[in-house]
């Protein structure tokens, strides 16, 4: 007799099926990670056990989550060549610098935890951002909105990994774990806010680099 599938395995299969109906595909590993993160976040916010969080994650909630996830991922233009994508967000050089530094820190997380897939994904984002910056001729760098959303999600993933106990990059100790995760989250939120700026104004920098 085959073992009974775990909650995460069963629900991730259901999530993938719903997303496929919506025109998006995820690997089983990606679906499990997304659901595990969602479950951890819900349990923390509601101050309940994971078992209670699992019971609360009904079929209706799964469908709603899948629809929200599909909308979010579609904004990232999956499969698109971002070098050729419309560059409709004006990004200050200082924001480029913060984003590059944040990506580098998140890459350290992937490296120290031997996560080759995440490392390759981060390097691809860093390379794309660099190539787009190389085309710039002014202080404001035009960038594609999906690139910023992908970078923000990548930083969120690194912050979540650190919060959940992943190995810290060299040079950081346990006393700085939450601070490191908070900075990655702050950068992710700042980049996401910049990506959603539509008033034509130069967006404010979300934090001051190297404060003294």
């Amino acid at each position: 007799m085959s073992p009974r599938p775990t909650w995460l395995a069963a629900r991730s299969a259901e999530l993938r099926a719903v997303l496929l109906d919506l025109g998006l595909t995820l690997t089983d590993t990606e679906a499990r990670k997304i659901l595990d993160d969602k479950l951890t976040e819900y349990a923390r916010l509601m101050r309940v056990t994971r078992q209670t969080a699992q019971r609360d994650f009904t079929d209706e909630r799964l469908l709603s989550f899948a629809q929200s996830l599909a909308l979010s991922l579609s904004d990232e233009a999956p499969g698109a060549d971002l070098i050729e994508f419309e560059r409709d967000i004006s990004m200050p050089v200082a924001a480029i610098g913060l984003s590059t530094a944040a990506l580098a820190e998140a890459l350290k997380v992937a490296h120290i935890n031997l996560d080759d897939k995440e490392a390759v994904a981060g390097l691809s984002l860093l390379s794309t951002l660099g190539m787009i910056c190389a085309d710039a001729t002014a202080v404001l760098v035009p960038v594609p909105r999906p690139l910023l959303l992908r970078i923000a999600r990548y930083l969120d993933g690194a912050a979540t990994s650190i919060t959940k106990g992943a190995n810290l990059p060299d040079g950081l100790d346990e006393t700085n774990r939450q601070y490191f995760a908070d900075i990655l989250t702050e950068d992710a939120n700042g980049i996401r806010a910049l990506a959603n700026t539509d008033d034509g104004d130069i967006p404010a920098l979300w934090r001051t680099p190297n404060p003294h």
Side-chain angles (χ1 to χ4, degrees):
M1 180 181 295
S2 60
R4 183 179 180 182
T6 65
W7 182 93
L8 194 59
R11 279 306 202 192
S12 65
E14 294 167 2
L15 176 63
R16 292 176 66 198
V18 174
L19 287 174
L20 187 60
D21 288 340
L22 296 172
L24 290 173
T25 58
L26 283 181
T27 66
D28 184 58
T29 300
E30 290 169 335
R32 290 187 187 214
K33 184 177 186 303
I34 288 171
L35 273 180
D36 187 52
D37 290 345
K38 185 67 176 178
L39 201 68
T40 299
E41 178 187 21
Y42 179 84
R44 177 175 56 81
L45 290 175
M46 302 304 294
R47 298 183 179 180
V48 298
T49 65
R50 284 181 67 86
Q51 286 185 329
T52 299
Q54 289 175 5
R55 288 196 299 269
D56 289 348
F57 208 85
T58 60
D59 292 342
E60 293 77 10
R61 180 161 290 173
L62 176 72
L63 177 59
S64 176
F65 176 61
Q67 291 170 336
S68 174
L69 181 62
L71 181 62
S72 174
L73 291 177
S74 66
D75 282 346
E76 295 182 16
D81 180 357
L82 295 184
I83 297 296
E84 303 298 329
F85 208 89
E86 179 184 3
R87 303 176 185 183
D88 52 356
I89 301 295
S90 296
M91 198 169 186
V93 170
I96 293 281
L98 276 180
S99 301
T100 301
L103 265 176
E105 293 301 320
L107 275 163
K108 290 180 184 178
V109 176
H111 173 70
I112 199 69
N113 288 280
L114 304 178
D115 192 334
D116 291 340
K117 183 176 179 180
E118 284 298 302
V120 169
L123 287 169
S124 178
L125 292 171
L126 193 60
S127 174
T128 301
L129 183 61
M131 292 174 69
I132 287 172
C133 288
D135 287 340
T137 58
V139 175
L140 291 177
V141 180
V143 298
R145 180 172 181 268
L147 174 61
L148 297 184
L149 295 176
R150 292 185 195 184
I151 291 173
R153 181 164 60 86
Y154 188 83
L155 299 182
D156 279 336
T160 298
S161 294
I162 290 300
T163 299
K164 293 171 69 173
N167 294 325
L168 290 167
D170 292 340
L172 285 178
D173 57 34
E174 281 297 323
T175 60
N176 291 312
R177 176 179 292 277
Q178 193 55 53
Y179 175 75
F180 181 49
D182 289 344
I183 288 294
L184 288 173
T185 298
E186 183 179 359
D187 286 339
N189 290 337
I191 292 170
R192 193 175 291 111
L194 191 153
N196 291 317
T197 298
D198 58 5
D199 55 12
D201 293 334
I202 298 176
L205 201 60
W206 57 89
R207 69 180 176 90
T208 302
N210 302 321
H212 297 290

